[in-house]
Amino acid sequence: MLRKMGEAVARVARKVNETVESDSDTLDLAECKLVSFPIGICKVLWNVTDQIHLITLANNELKSLTSKFMTIFFQLQKLCLEGNFLYHLPNEVSALQHFKAIHLSRNQFHDFPEQLTPLPALETIILEENKIVDVPMEKLATMPALCSINLHFNPLNAEVRVITLPLIKFDMLMSPEGTWAPPT
């Protein structure tokens, strides 16, 4: 157990060092068995946080993100969080003025993360394979840059399904009614 934990820590440290040394705009911590974002990483990345535009935390074991995470990576444009155990986002995500895309598939969202709706540059929201029933269409309709929302494999209610398509200016992808469970 300790050996595996040590290997995971070493892997994270190696990936963080690669980001710093290569002057990359991407931090890839996918599949690192993280249960939370290690805030200690922020100290290492402190001088380069403003140049990080893409963070991948896919396929970990995250249950939440801290508000500090959102405020440290203030230049973030894309965040990949698919394959975790997230059920909400911190309110501070609404301060990410350059944010263009978020990937939240295969998480535990029961409610649509409305903290995303004030974001002026957000173009893509991917929420496949969650447990979302209702979507705040009025708020989404006011998002200036929104192009696409993927809600495949969510148990969406009938009201969401009958929204008049001319009222929305973005693509809304949904599974056919009655098929909200993903294929096995």
Side-chain angles (χ1 to χ4, degrees):
M1 169 93 169
L2 281 177
R3 189 171 145 233
K4 279 190 176 187
M5 205 161 95
E7 289 170 3
V9 169
R11 183 175 180 183
V12 168
R14 188 170 50 253
K15 288 184 169 201
V16 169
N17 285 337
E18 286 171 9
T19 299
V20 172
E21 289 170 10
S22 67
D23 225 13
S24 176
D25 71 343
T26 301
L27 175 60
D28 182 358
L29 296 177
E31 299 178 13
C32 288
K33 296 184 176 24
L34 296 173
V35 294
S36 65
F37 186 81
I39 291 300
I41 287 175
C42 298
K43 290 180 178 132
V44 176
L45 292 172
W46 191 252
N47 292 331
V48 295
T49 56
D50 61 336
Q51 73 188 39
I52 304 283
H53 296 142
L54 165 63
I55 296 179
T56 300
L57 292 164
N59 303 314
N60 279 292
E61 297 168 20
L62 299 172
K63 291 184 179 150
S64 67
L65 287 177
T66 64
S67 54
K68 186 168 185 160
F69 173 85
M70 295 299 169
T71 55
I72 288 171
F73 296 103
F74 61 94
Q75 294 292 332
L76 202 56
Q77 293 178 12
K78 185 174 182 186
L79 184 57
C80 298
L81 293 163
E82 68 270 20
N84 281 288
F85 300 105
L86 299 169
Y87 59 93
H88 78 283
L89 294 174
N91 290 333
E92 289 75 8
V93 73
S94 62
L96 298 174
Q97 297 300 303
H98 307 285
F99 209 48
K100 292 183 180 180
I102 188 161
H103 195 317
L104 296 165
S105 294
R106 297 183 330 276
N107 273 286
Q108 301 295 316
F109 286 90
H110 287 262
D111 296 315
F112 188 93
E114 289 194 36
Q115 303 91 323
L116 299 174
T117 59
L119 295 170
L122 190 59
E123 298 170 356
T124 306
I125 303 170
I126 303 172
L127 280 158
E128 271 187 299
E129 294 183 47
N130 277 281
K131 298 171 178 131
I132 296 170
V133 174
D134 199 17
V135 179
M137 295 305 291
E138 306 80 31
K139 290 182 179 180
L140 294 173
T142 65
M143 295 177 69
L146 189 61
C147 295
S148 175
I149 297 178
N150 185 335
L151 292 163
H152 277 118
F153 307 117
N154 278 282
L156 299 170
N157 67 32
E159 290 82 32
V160 172
R161 296 181 168 285
V162 297
I163 294 294
T164 315
L165 291 179
L167 295 178
I168 58 174
K169 62 185 184 307
F170 52 86
D171 292 329
M172 191 156 122
L173 309 173
M174 299 179 278
S175 300
E177 193 166 2
T179 60
W180 70 272
T184 53

